[in-house]
Amino acid sequence: MCRDSIGIKANLSEPEMKRGYHLMVIARIKPQIFKPNSKTRRVNIQESSEKLFSSFDSHALAKVKKKRKTGKIVTGLAGEGRSVWKKDSHFSPVSETQMFLYDTFPREFLWGVGTGAFQVEGSWRKDGKGSSIWDHFTHSEFRDADSTGTSSDSYIFLDKDLSALDFLGVTFYQFSISWSRLFPTGVVATPNEKGLQYYNTLIDSLLHRNIDPVVTLYHWDLPLMLQEKYGGWKNESMIDIFNDYATFCFQTFGDRVKYWITIHNPYLVAWHGYGTGIHAPGERGKIRTVYSVGHNLIKAHAKVWHTYKEHFEPFQKGMVSIVLGSHWIEPNKLEDESDISKCQKSMERVLGWFAKPIHGDGDYPEELKNEFLFLPHFTEDEKNYIKGTADFFAFSFGPSNFKPPNTLPKMGQNLSLNLREVLNWIKLEYNSPRILIAENGWFTDSHVKTDDTTAIYMMKNFINKVLQAIKYDNIDVFGYTAWSLLDGFEWQHAYNIRRGLFYVDFKSKKKERIPKSSALYYKQIIRENGFFPKDSTPNLQAQFSCDFSWGITESVLKGQEQHDKMTTSTKPIEAESAASSPQFCDSSLYLWNVTGDGLLHKVEGVKLKTRPAQCTDFVSIKKQLDLLEKMKVTHYRFALDWSLILPNGDLSVVNRQVLRYYRCVISEVLKLNIQSMVTLYYPTHTYLGLPGPLLQTGGWLNQSTAYAFQAYAALCYRELGDLVKLWITINEPNQLSNVYNRSSNDTYRAAHNLLIAHAMAWRIYDEQYRSSQCGKVSLSLHSDWAEPANPFFESHSKAANRFLQFEIGWFANPIFKTGDYPATMRDYITFKNRKGLSHTLLPSFTSEEKQLVKGAADFYALNHFTTRFVIHEPRNGSQYDFDRDIQFLQDITCLSSPSRLAVVPWGMRKVLRWIKNTYGDIDIYITANGIDDPSLDNDELRNYYLGKYVQEVLKAYYIDKVKIKGYYAFKLTEEKSKPRFGFFTSDAKGKPSIKFYNSLISNNGFPADYSVLYQLAAFDGIMSHGRFYENPDNCK
């Protein structure tokens, strides 16, 4: 379930879609109840940062020394990673190990942030710096190339970068050295003093702040002269030249640097620099060259690693690795071995290309060698020299590894952002290496400044996947690098996207580093060393009151329609698939043309003996009774069909057979000790449910429909009211904007008439029927909770409140509060009108209408299904949706249903509390709550949903003192070709969730031992609530 309000639109892999569940960033969180234990504690950052590296160093160096002593490195078996895609056939969508994890990282876990020199340093001609291949490439390939000369200007504004690092509270900073800033020609000679001074100052300043430097020697900005003279990485001479440069860096900075990265993502250097040509130096088309470049990069890395181990590691005690990047991919069909093999090949062609020689056996993957016969070969000596040349596995997982998608070897399978699974693949392929996430994050469009809501949801998802990998899969991840510290030059995208945690206005002179939402969120994660739920109220073990209603909701009952046609029409009609028993009350004889048109034909002149009609004549009622008996509920909510009862819309024609059918339903249900909650009008966006003549005169746009509804309601009270104690006039009138959406004025006009119609129906019951029937009347409002998608922006909080006022307050305020629409709603529409952004006219209530509407409900009835994550998004136009200026985001860390309903149990408690705080201490019925679950034989998602949501209802009942009178699960039966919300299939087959709901009902909640319950009561002050019961025996 979701805890923190953070979400996003994300494309999921097809296998995830086929399983019927969505891990929704932008929706909706994989659930887990947070349970404090001895391992979950808030870490003092200062205290832990002093010990971080010492604990890791001793462990990792011992492992490295062991490798060197034996001369052999035990590796994972090639191809083992394919087991990642072989899912358990009994995979549970609500397994705790698959849900969002509220827990902390290991105490010694490292939190960092990274940048690349070319992206942020700027000053490409300043203080003697030489040109790089990217300087040349950008000025020849990009417009506005001059702007790359400044970028974020870290070379000048180092102090501002350091302040940004202080703000985050990171324990390490991963940056790269600009090779050409130290050696303008690329050849090691006398270093550029200004460049040397800059990096010395940077390293010393980091250490002064207890921030460890993680230094990358090469992040793509090769000195231009090396490209022009040698052809760059195509030439083997680069191996020694690179080693000379690395040796100088080790000599100069190594006394203060404990972590070195030789090359950042060599796959992109080779593939895009010499293959697609979208990276510098911009060469394209020669596949042999691509693999030749990769070959040289691997050997260059290995030589540098050996140089460090032989000459520097003994006294500097540092470690060296290479950052390898990759995508992730999922098979089209999880059970298809061929698809799994393609996924394995895809990973071997990208990550395995470099990882297998370095972290494996020193050679390329067999698949790669078989596919490309021209692939360069390693000699046996080279294999032994290359394998094991990394002290940890530095891994990059970000947008650069996925874009452009047409350049990736997808092999007809599906790209995926599941970081946890790729970490498992690395573990299996390369013998459980220690892993540093050396680059991770996402991007936003260039126009986004500090409100990078999308980025925080992606970060939330990625970091939690790392936590799950550590806690559940025993993967040895020791650090995480958020990318990147600052907005900068984003390679082939130039300045068209942003990846920084800090916003930089590139056109400004001061280049201030302004923290984005993602910086605030990352700072919070670092401070807490993981994820803490905002609401950690433990589960209650308690029961509801003895008179609590446990119900089941159904939509419009139409089982009588065929019966009505058979008994009133003389024309041939379609035979019922499950006929009632008309032979006892219909004197006519029919012939069934089975092999012809399939219709019943009346035999003229033949009359049969009949008997008085009985309720048991309706086979559909018998079926309903059977289903309800299995549900073990105390209440049954269903809807009447107005258009069937009054086909003309008025009392000129009353279909008595239909009324009789409904009365039979109610009376037969009563025999099972089940009370009915009857809904008079149940419109949907596909079936408005109005009688034809009323539709023809404008439907709810015509105020006369309200008077017609009052007459219809009075008829139902008169005919059925002696058997019904709970009435709902209209179901979800606040959702009819989907129907009356031609303009906002149509929407508000229809809503106004619906409000008047409800109030008139309530008044007539109150005045004419209440005294004799003793029932209660209300209307059901769709009442999903709204949470600000970005908790760091006030505009999102205002948007969430605005959603509640436009969605719930729109109808609830007039009835339960003021007799008028919410001031927030009126004021916002007026504001937009003045700005010329809308031409909406919200109707006004006359004084008589205010008196009519105010107080016209005996309880609050809500239908609640999920929580919406809301952002402020200005929109122009005269539409109801535009008037609200909101947009919904979907949290990819949420457990969600096939229809994308996010499972957010705490939203139920919040909306109940909000209703009480806003409208007073009124009785509340939850008249619909449920989720669609695709499974027919094991609907675990529904069980999980019911348990969690009812638990939140219980908390609202006991802790928040909300007067909840009943809970109605949605719904009894599902409809064909629609989301599977039902406890029973469309052909009446029951699902396992029935037993789970039975258990909730029979226990009247979550009972516990008396002593435990008493302690809970004392802790939460429940005893004073007057609704505390020691055990179920009190309820009789």
Side-chain angles (χ1 to χ4, degrees), residues 925-970:
Y925 283 86
I926 298 160
T927 46
N929 179 237
I931 197 166
D932 55 310
D933 187 325
S935 177
L936 297 177
D937 55 5
N938 189 19
D939 51 346
E940 295 174 281
L941 177 60
R942 180 170 294 109
N943 285 346
Y944 182 88
Y945 181 96
L946 286 171
K948 298 302 181 186
Y949 274 76
V950 172
Q951 176 62 221
E952 293 301 314
V953 173
L954 189 65
K955 291 176 186 177
Y957 180 78
Y958 272 114
I959 300 172
D960 306 324
K961 314 297 192 293
V962 181
K963 292 171 64 176
I964 304 164
K965 307 299 289 184
Y967 173 90
Y968 292 63
F970 183 85

Side-chain angles (χ1 to χ4, degrees), residues 218-419:
Y218 182 68
H219 196 138
W220 309 353
D221 49 350
L222 186 72
L224 181 61
M225 289 189 66
L226 296 180
Q227 181 68 34
E228 293 176 339
K229 184 175 181 179
Y230 298 100
W233 290 105
K234 293 183 293 184
N235 194 321
E236 274 194 313
S237 299
M238 284 299 304
I239 296 170
D240 289 330
I241 295 172
F242 182 60
N243 188 62
D244 291 342
Y245 159 61
T247 301
F248 173 84
C249 292
F250 296 151
Q251 289 172 335
T252 307
F253 309 118
D255 58 325
R256 292 158 291 163
V257 176
K258 301 303 179 187
Y259 294 94
W260 292 96
I261 300 296
T262 56
I263 302 167
H264 187 91
N265 211 335
Y267 172 87
L268 297 181
V269 175
W271 193 257
H272 288 325
Y274 296 85
T276 67
I278 62 174
H279 282 192
E283 299 186 13
R284 51 175 63 90
K286 296 180 181 179
I287 192 69
R288 286 177 179 266
T289 302
V290 170
Y291 286 101
S292 176
V293 167
H295 199 70
N296 290 334
L297 288 167
I298 291 170
K299 292 201 289 186
H301 157 77
K303 183 159 189 173
V304 170
W305 186 88
H306 280 285
T307 295
Y308 186 84
K309 292 301 164 184
E310 292 169 12
H311 302 292
F312 299 98
E313 189 268 335
F315 55 91
Q316 290 184 357
K317 308 298 183 184
M319 282 168 285
V320 180
S321 188
I322 180 172
V323 171
L324 303 182
S326 183
H327 63 311
W328 181 243
I329 198 158
E330 295 275 5
N332 281 321
K333 298 178 180 178
L334 292 172
E335 66 280 2
D336 192 321
E337 286 292 335
S338 173
D339 284 352
I340 290 175
S341 293
K342 289 175 183 176
C343 289
Q344 178 70 11
K345 288 179 180 179
S346 177
M347 293 302 297
E348 288 177 351
R349 286 195 183 184
V350 178
L351 186 54
W353 176 11
F354 294 89
K356 188 168 179 287
I358 295 168
H359 293 277
D361 61 4
D363 200 4
Y364 294 119
E366 290 301 315
E367 193 279 329
L368 207 60
K369 292 193 290 185
N370 293 335
E371 181 71 19
F372 303 111
L373 299 179
F374 55 79
L375 199 69
H377 293 284
F378 292 117
T379 66
E380 288 303 316
D381 287 343
E382 286 176 331
K383 291 178 187 178
N384 290 325
Y385 186 77
I386 290 167
K387 67 181 178 182
T389 55
D391 300 326
F392 53 92
F393 198 115
F395 182 58
S396 165
F397 194 72
S400 296
N401 301 302
F402 288 85
K403 299 174 74 173
N406 62 342
T407 65
L408 287 166
K410 293 185 289 186
M411 299 186 174
Q413 308 309 303
N414 306 291
L415 294 176
S416 168
L417 297 178
N418 196 323
L419 178 53

Side-chain angles (χ1 to χ4, degrees), residues 415-431:
L415 294 176
S416 168
L417 297 178
N418 196 323
L419 178 53
R420 178 181 174 185
E421 292 202 345
V422 71
L423 290 174
N424 270 279
W425 191 86
I426 291 169
K427 174 187 176 181
L428 292 168
E429 287 282 326
Y430 306 113
N431 192 38

Side-chain angles (χ1 to χ4, degrees), residues 901-937:
L901 286 179
V903 180
V904 193
W906 51 262
M908 169 68 91
R909 182 181 175 189
K910 282 196 172 185
V911 77
L912 289 168
R913 199 161 49 200
W914 184 85
I915 291 167
K916 177 188 175 183
N917 293 338
T918 306
Y919 302 114
D921 197 21
I922 55 178
D923 289 349
I924 295 177
Y925 283 86
I926 298 160
T927 46
N929 179 237
I931 197 166
D932 55 310
D933 187 325
S935 177
L936 297 177
D937 55 5

